[in-house]
Amino acid sequence: MFDAPYLLFLGDAPDQLAAKMAQGIISWRPEVAAGQYRMAGCQADMGIRDMTVPEAVQAGVKTLVIGVVNRGGIISDAWKSVLIEALEAGLDIASGLHNHLCDDAELVAAAEANGCSLYDVRVPTMNYPIANGKKRTGKRCLAVGTDCSVGKMYTALAMDREMKKQGRKSTFRATGQCGILIEGKGVPLDAVVADFMAGAVEYLTPDNDADHWDMIEGQGSLFHASYSGVTMALVHGGQPDALILCHEPTRPHMRGLPDYQLPSLQDLREVALRLARVVNPACEVVGISINTQHLNEEEALAYLAKVEEEMGLPTVDPFRQSAARLIDALP
Amino acid sequence: MFDAPYLLFLGDAPDQLAAKMAQGIISWRPEVAAGQYRMAGCQADMGIRDMTVPEAVQAGVKTLVIGVVNRGGIISDAWKSVLIEALEAGLDIASGLHNHLCDDAELVAAAEANGCSLYDVRVPTMNYPIANGKKRTGKRCLAVGTDCSVGKMYTALAMDREMKKQGRKSTFRATGQCGILIEGKGVPLDAVVADFMAGAVEYLTPDNDADHWDMIEGQGSLFHASYSGVTMALVHGGQPDALILCHEPTRPHMRGLPDYQLPSLQDLREVALRLARVVNPACEVVGISINTQHLNEEEALAYLAKVEEEMGLPTVDPFRQSAARLIDALP
């Protein structure tokens, strides 16, 4: 989609958390980040070389990637002067911001004048087909969650990394803006028109070698009233051979839905498997990924052991531990 | 959305089937159709008064509704001259065609010059909210199918008509282009962006009187690999109190998916009910609607009796019989 190496733009990030998209790239594809650009007052730091725009050009950077969330849903004048400087120096710009680069007349004009491209990764770039449900070669693993934002992307990335570490064939398949910025390509599934969602997932996970695994980034939850349709399209378009159940044990209610309790892992297993088997009767739930960030080490290990016992499936926190046991559980 | 009465444009329809959108309006809202416009060679006939454009204007017509499918995905010059005549006479135009009126420069120019509107009912006309899952007042019934095109729209329309006949409060809620043309408003759900599908359904079926029923037009099927995400959004956005299972018993495979068998009605009942109860624990499957158009009377009655016995639920063909038993089964 867009070319590496990147200059990670951290803007005037008020804290490290505001730069979580840059952090995602640094965590998962550090090799593509040539440097970072920090404006006056920036409180985030990726621990890589600070660069001016001319220094980035000299270092071979192709794309300035906006790695920080903007405030108030606008691209400030201070940001814009840097972005225009980058375009005038011949860099492309990639962004996962809610407000699109392509809607900003000044940026569009500067990009055109300098022959550069603006990549809004939240905007679908092609017309996806209607899904045909045909069986594809190769293997696919999908992370499904009891809720949104419980670690599905992290789980897929960690499994992909572990596969590669073991010398096995694997590709992370990004379906959201953060994953797309990390991988450099993917499908912004929540922005695809309803009729084409499952087709977009089929397009993303095409025929492949028999021993190749797609590690598909999940979205939403089958139990989330706002986004379950997107999850359903992933289950039916992705034709998973293996499902990983993802859960965050301290959440008081479904994200954004105070009236809704999280389903149990048993509920998720039953419903996800039944739906997945519509398109792939051989699909299995093979493991569980728990996000234990809000538990201390002792609590986390006890919780993981309890779930593993109850569910009879390998249960890990791939951040605290490793994704190796999930890989070992793949059919 | 657009104003009645209508002039039903049948164009140069090669047969009655090509005018099925006009037929839908005549079947379900005959009172809005003031007349029909048939071009030379038109083989369809709705049995209502033929009108020229000036006659339609004189009869008080507000909107020309394209009630026929075009051939080859283009709006022919022959059609266009009639449509432009209508716009110049002050009529609005409504269309459910795949190719949009608003993409045709001549039609757009003629509409603007005459202060008329072009309504492409396949195009969402507003920004729908993200679903919030909040419990709404009033009751909702959703038709879910073992497959696409098994009679879900027909079932919802027939139930709505029966409710009104009985003097009860009911609204048909259209979610596809044909239903929208019939009702004059609705949500073209398969054209809505993924993140907003369930929110669009919530918007379509708002708070209402405690004894009012929304009869929601279903789309796709939870078991259809291409469109299940749209169905899921209906189940979770619609918060149904009652589900009607819809089925066509002679279909050899899922529509458009030769490798997929239809699920059983038992499968549909279990999966749809489990998913619906995520948002409405009181939801019940209350009846079954069978499309028996490909069976003779004897076969049809025997099949309906067999399903009713097996499933323990009122089972009717609302076209061959009536929807009254489905209404009686509502909680």
Side-chain angles (χ1 to χ4, degrees):
Chain A
M1 202 180 204
F2 41 91
D3 296 326
Y6 304 157
L7 175 63
L8 298 184
F9 176 75
L10 307 187
D12 44 5
D15 52 34
Q16 194 76 2
L17 193 62
K20 74 169 189 172
M21 287 187 286
Q23 187 63 57
I25 293 170
I26 288 293
S27 298
W28 297 104
R29 292 220 303 165
E31 70 277 12
V32 299
Q36 63 185 4
Y37 187 107
R38 302 196 295 161
M39 291 165 53
C42 179
Q43 300 296 316
D45 186 351
M46 295 301 126
I48 58 175
R49 183 180 154 202
D50 284 296
M51 286 182 176
T52 62
V53 168
E55 286 168 348
V57 171
Q58 195 139 39
V61 163
K62 300 291 184 208
T63 306
L64 178 150
V65 173
I66 298 182
V68 58
V69 175
N70 56 344
R71 280 172 285 188
I74 58 153
I75 297 174
S76 67
D77 289 341
W79 279 32
K80 209 179 291 182
S81 66
V82 179
L83 302 184
I84 288 175
E85 184 192 356
L87 292 168
E88 288 176 344
L91 301 186
D92 296 331
I93 303 181
S95 161
L97 298 179
H98 265 287
N99 41 337
H100 302 149
L101 302 175
C102 293
D103 291 339
D104 187 296
E106 287 176 79
L107 293 178
V108 170
E112 279 177 9
N114 296 283
C116 297
S117 297
L118 301 175
Y119 296 99
D120 286 299
V121 302
R122 282 182 189 266
V123 181
T125 51
M126 59 170 286
N127 293 319
Y128 300 107
I130 299 273
N132 63 31
K134 291 221 169 83
K135 179 73 183 159
R136 304 191 291 286
T137 52
K139 299 281 190 181
R140 285 156 200 89
C141 178
L142 174 65
V144 292
T146 51
D147 193 4
C148 300
S149 308
V150 291
K152 296 184 298 292
M153 181 184 82
Y154 194 100
T155 300
L157 281 162
M159 290 180 72
D160 175 60
R161 175 176 281 179
E162 180 65 26
M163 287 286 282
K164 287 173 174 143
K165 197 173 124 191
Q166 296 184 15
R168 296 176 64 183
K169 295 178 195 164
S170 169
T171 307
F172 170 69
R173 299 298 188 182
T175 61
Q177 65 275 1
C178 196
I180 295 170
L181 283 178
I182 291 171
E183 187 63 15
K185 61 186 177 187
V187 166
L189 193 58
D190 57 15
V192 172
V193 166
D195 249 0
F196 305 98
M197 294 184 298
V201 179
E202 290 187 349
Y203 165 86
L204 181 68
T205 59
D207 280 325
N208 216 316
D209 295 346
D211 59 345
H212 176 278
W213 281 86
D214 280 329
M215 299 298 174
I216 307 173
E217 179 189 359
Q219 293 293 333
S221 165
L222 294 168
F223 292 84
H224 197 291
S226 312
Y227 307 115
S228 54
V230 181
T231 316
M232 183 72 134
L234 276 160
V235 171
H236 282 171
Q239 275 179 14
D241 301 277
L243 294 172
I244 305 289
L245 310 182
C246 298
H247 182 58
E248 200 280 82
T250 69
R251 198 157 295 182
H253 57 72
M254 295 292 279
R255 187 173 166 88
L257 304 177
D259 300 335
Y260 287 83
Q261 297 303 302
L262 271 68
S264 69
L265 283 162
Q266 286 86 344
D267 285 340
L268 176 61
R269 172 161 63 181
E270 287 169 23
V271 169
L273 193 58
R274 179 132 198 197
L275 293 171
R277 286 184 172 170
V278 168
V279 293
N280 186 351
C283 184
E284 294 288 352
V285 174
V286 301
I288 299 173
S289 175
I290 305 286
N291 176 346
T292 64
Q293 67 176 312
H294 298 302
L295 304 180
N296 67 33
E297 181 82 3
E298 191 183 349
E299 291 167 337
L301 295 178
Y303 184 83
L304 291 166
K306 173 172 153 287
V307 171
E308 178 149 344
E309 166 76 17
E310 283 172 4
M311 298 289 291
L313 288 169
T315 302
V316 302
D317 180 336
F319 182 84
R320 201 181 278 271
Q321 305 170 316
S322 137
R325 292 184 65 220
L326 300 179
I327 297 303
D328 294 344
L330 292 174
Chain B
M1 201 181 205
F2 41 92
D3 294 328
Y6 304 156
L7 175 63
L8 297 185
F9 176 75
L10 308 187
D12 44 4
D15 53 31
Q16 194 75 5
L17 193 61
K20 74 168 188 172
M21 286 187 286
Q23 188 63 57
I25 293 170
I26 288 292
S27 298
W28 296 104
R29 291 219 304 167
E31 69 278 11
V32 299
Q36 64 185 3
Y37 187 108
R38 302 194 296 160
M39 290 165 54
C42 179
Q43 300 297 315
D45 185 350
M46 296 301 125
I48 58 175
R49 185 180 152 200
D50 284 297
M51 286 181 177
T52 63
V53 168
E55 286 168 346
V57 171
Q58 196 140 39
V61 162
K62 301 290 184 209
T63 307
L64 180 150
V65 173
I66 297 182
V68 57
V69 175
N70 54 344
R71 281 172 284 188
I74 58 152
I75 297 175
S76 68
D77 288 343
W79 279 32
K80 209 180 290 182
S81 67
V82 179
L83 301 184
I84 288 175
E85 184 193 356
L87 292 167
E88 288 175 344
L91 301 186
D92 296 331
I93 303 180
S95 161
L97 298 179
H98 266 288
N99 42 338
H100 302 150
L101 302 175
C102 293
D103 291 339
D104 186 294
E106 286 177 80
L107 293 178
V108 169
E112 277 177 10
N114 295 282
C116 297
S117 297
L118 301 174
Y119 296 99
D120 287 298
V121 302
R122 282 182 189 265
V123 182
T125 51
M126 59 171 285
N127 293 319
Y128 299 107
I130 300 272
N132 64 30
K134 290 221 170 84
K135 180 72 182 160
R136 305 191 290 289
T137 52
K139 299 283 190 179
R140 284 156 201 88
C141 178
L142 174 66
V144 292
T146 51
D147 193 3
C148 300
S149 309
V150 292
K152 297 184 297 294
M153 183 184 80
Y154 194 101
T155 301
L157 281 162
M159 291 180 72
D160 176 59
R161 177 176 281 180
E162 180 65 25
M163 287 287 281
K164 287 173 173 143
K165 198 174 122 192
Q166 296 184 14
R168 296 176 63 183
K169 295 178 195 164
S170 170
T171 308
F172 170 69
R173 299 298 188 183
T175 61
Q177 65 275 2
C178 197
I180 295 171
L181 284 179
I182 291 171
E183 187 63 16
K185 61 187 177 185
V187 166
L189 193 58
D190 57 15
V192 172
V193 166
D195 248 1
F196 304 98
M197 295 184 298
V201 180
E202 290 187 349
Y203 165 84
L204 182 68
T205 59
D207 280 324
N208 216 318
D209 294 345
D211 58 346
H212 176 279
W213 280 87
D214 280 328
M215 298 297 173
I216 308 173
E217 179 189 1
Q219 293 294 332
S221 165
L222 294 167
F223 292 84
H224 196 291
S226 312
Y227 307 116
S228 55
V230 180
T231 317
M232 183 71 132
L234 276 160
V235 171
H236 282 171
Q239 276 180 12
D241 300 278
L243 295 171
I244 304 289
L245 309 182
C246 298
H247 183 57
E248 200 281 83
T250 69
R251 199 158 292 184
H253 57 72
M254 294 293 279
R255 188 173 166 89
L257 303 177
D259 301 336
Y260 288 83
Q261 297 303 301
L262 270 69
S264 69
L265 282 162
Q266 286 86 346
D267 285 340
L268 176 61
R269 173 163 61 182
E270 287 169 23
V271 169
L273 194 58
R274 178 133 199 195
L275 293 171
R277 286 184 172 170
V278 168
V279 293
N280 186 353
C283 185
E284 294 288 352
V285 174
V286 301
I288 299 174
S289 175
I290 305 286
N291 176 347
T292 64
Q293 66 175 313
H294 299 302
L295 304 180
N296 67 32
E297 181 82 4
E298 192 183 349
E299 292 167 336
L301 296 179
Y303 185 83
L304 291 166
K306 174 172 152 286
V307 171
E308 178 148 344
E309 167 75 18
E310 283 172 6
M311 298 288 291
L313 288 169
T315 302
V316 302
D317 180 336
F319 182 82
R320 201 182 277 271
Q321 305 170 316
S322 135
R325 292 183 65 220
L326 300 179
I327 297 302
D328 294 345
L330 292 174

